[in-house]
Amino acid sequence: MRNILNLLVTFLVFWCGSQYFNPYISISDTKTLIFATVLMFVISFIYGLLLTISMLSIVIGIGCLTTPLLVAASLVLTPIKLWLLDKYLPGFEIHGFWTYVILTILLSIFTVKVTSKKHL
């Protein structure tokens, strides 16, 4: 459920950005909007999977090296994903440094992070 909600939030942030802030975010059509949203979701899912594997590998010692690198990468992961979409997805354009910053903040605020609470 959390993944579907994150997918919808990313879609809404991209759609609102392209509709109301058109000089800064240009998305050519609905197909590009959906494709950009799915790519953001897939990259986030793969990163989460890598982080989970890294945390589990702490037991054997490898995770001690990879986990801090992945945690540090998480600080800049969203702008990198946005830059990759801008660079390699035709029809998806982001103009200006501050647009990256604002989109990163919006996606970070509205992305749902749910932790499971176990009752003892």
Side-chain angles (χ1 to χ4, degrees), residues 10-64:
T10 304
F11 179 83
L12 286 174
V13 167
F14 284 162
W15 181 79
C16 288
S18 69
Q19 292 296 315
Y20 298 110
F21 302 102
N22 199 8
Y24 304 106
I25 302 169
S26 301
I27 300 175
S28 62
D29 56 0
T30 306
K31 183 175 119 178
T32 305
L33 176 64
I34 292 171
F35 195 61
T37 303
V38 169
L39 280 177
M40 283 286 285
F41 176 75
V42 168
I43 294 169
S44 296
F45 184 77
I46 290 171
Y47 174 77
L49 187 63
L50 287 175
L51 188 60
T52 302
I53 291 170
S54 177
M55 294 294 283
L56 292 175
S57 66
I58 285 179
V59 176
I60 59 174
I62 298 170
C64 295

Side-chain angles (χ1 to χ4, degrees), residues 45-112:
F45 184 77
I46 290 171
Y47 174 77
L49 187 63
L50 287 175
L51 188 60
T52 302
I53 291 170
S54 177
M55 294 294 283
L56 292 175
S57 66
I58 285 179
V59 176
I60 59 174
I62 298 170
C64 295
L65 299 173
T66 58
T67 302
L69 294 174
L70 287 172
V71 170
S74 71
L75 299 174
V76 294
L77 186 66
T78 302
I80 290 171
K81 290 187 292 187
L82 291 170
W83 177 77
L84 287 172
L85 286 176
D86 182 28
K87 182 95 173 144
Y88 296 109
L89 184 62
F92 184 89
E93 296 178 11
I94 298 174
H95 306 283
F97 171 77
W98 291 108
T99 308
Y100 283 102
V101 172
I102 291 170
L103 277 176
T104 300
I105 291 169
L106 286 174
L107 288 171
S108 297
I109 289 172
F110 293 116
T111 300
V112 178

